[in-house]
């Protein structure tokens, strides 16, 4: 399922100045490649997105418009394996495998032809690796538009800072 919320406020500051604020959020839960409804396969994926922006549009003259915007977006991606926490002995693996494992779960198995992003014919089996990764994106945007006769000239700057914060799950 995917859940979305969006809110926006527009402020009419003057004949020449309009300010807009928005806030956005969505959640996505996804079970990928759960073949045969078996926990040996697939990935569980959750992504939560949050964001907000402030946009100021100023009319300098009837033919010259300035737009300035600042924005922040954060998404938090969590992935796990349906095989997390499953005792491998229930699938016929020796008991020493679970005893020696840092995390209890089905062992990861990859076939000779590859799997996952490099798949040729097979799906990976077992714990495919868990992650818990937040990302932040900061943006500052500014543009100026000049209308002259039948022509429109636009110039601007779009600066973005992408940050990934990875830590083990």
């Amino acid at each position: 399922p995917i859940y979305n919320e969006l809110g926006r406020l527009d402020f009419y500051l003057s004949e020449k100045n309009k300010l807009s604020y928005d806030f956005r959020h969505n959640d996505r839960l996804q079970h990928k490649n759960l073949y045969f409804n078996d926990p040996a396969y697939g990935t569980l994926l959750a992504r939560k997105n949050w964001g907000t922006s402030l946009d100021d549009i100023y009319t300098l003259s009837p033919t010259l418009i300035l737009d300035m915007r600042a924005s922040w977006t954060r998404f938090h991606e969590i992935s796990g394996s349906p095989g997390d926490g499953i005792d491998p002995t229930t699938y016929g693996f020796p008991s020493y495998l679970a005893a020696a494992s840092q995390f209890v779960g089905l062992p990861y198995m990859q076939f000779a032809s590859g799997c996952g992003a490099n798949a040729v014919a097979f799906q990976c089996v077992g714990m495919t690796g868990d992650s818990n990764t937040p990302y932040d994106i900061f943006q500052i945007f500014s543009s100026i538009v000049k209308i002259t006769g039948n022509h429109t000239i636009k110039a601007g700057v779009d600066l973005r800072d992408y940050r990934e914060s990875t830590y083990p799950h």
Side-chain angles (χ1 to χ4, degrees):
I2 299 176
Y3 304 98
N4 292 302
E5 297 91 30
L6 173 67
R8 180 180 166 126
L9 296 171
D10 290 320
F11 302 96
Y12 182 79
L13 301 177
S14 73
E15 287 273 331
K16 294 185 171 198
N17 198 1
K18 178 185 164 197
L19 189 67
S20 298
Y21 170 77
D22 74 56
F23 177 81
R24 56 203 176 273
H25 169 257
N26 66 48
D27 281 339
R28 179 178 81 192
L29 299 172
Q30 184 178 14
H31 294 179
K32 295 171 62 176
N33 305 329
L34 288 175
Y35 303 118
F36 315 112
N37 203 23
D38 188 329
Y41 300 97
T43 302
L44 305 172
L45 178 66
R47 181 184 263 185
K48 295 181 183 223
N49 300 295
W50 297 90
T52 188
S53 62
L54 186 64
D55 191 7
D56 190 9
I57 299 173
Y58 193 83
T59 303
L60 299 167
S61 75
T63 61
L64 190 61
I65 301 167
L66 176 65
D67 184 2
M68 296 178 294
R69 180 175 51 237
S71 176
W72 165 74
T73 302
R74 179 179 185 84
F75 68 91
H76 196 161
E77 190 168 87
I78 301 169
S79 66
S81 170
D84 291 350
I86 292 179
D87 183 356
T89 60
T90 61
Y91 281 81
F93 290 97
S95 59
Y96 68 81
L97 189 64
S101 296
Q102 183 178 5
F103 300 106
V104 177
L106 296 176
Y108 177 73
M109 292 175 277
Q110 179 175 333
F111 299 97
S113 62
C115 60
N118 301 320
V120 174
F122 297 104
Q123 170 70 31
C124 297
V125 177
M127 289 176 58
T128 56
D130 297 347
S131 68
N132 189 345
T133 309
Y135 300 84
D136 287 291
I137 303 166
F138 300 93
Q139 177 190 30
I140 296 174
F141 169 85
S142 183
S143 70
I144 192 156
V145 176
K146 174 66 176 169
I147 301 166
T148 176
N150 291 332
H151 303 284
T152 302
I153 301 167
K154 183 175 183 177
V157 175
D158 188 349
L159 303 172
R160 297 182 191 203
D161 180 19
Y162 292 86
R163 298 180 186 180
E164 175 184 348
S165 303
T166 304
Y167 54 93
H169 180 72

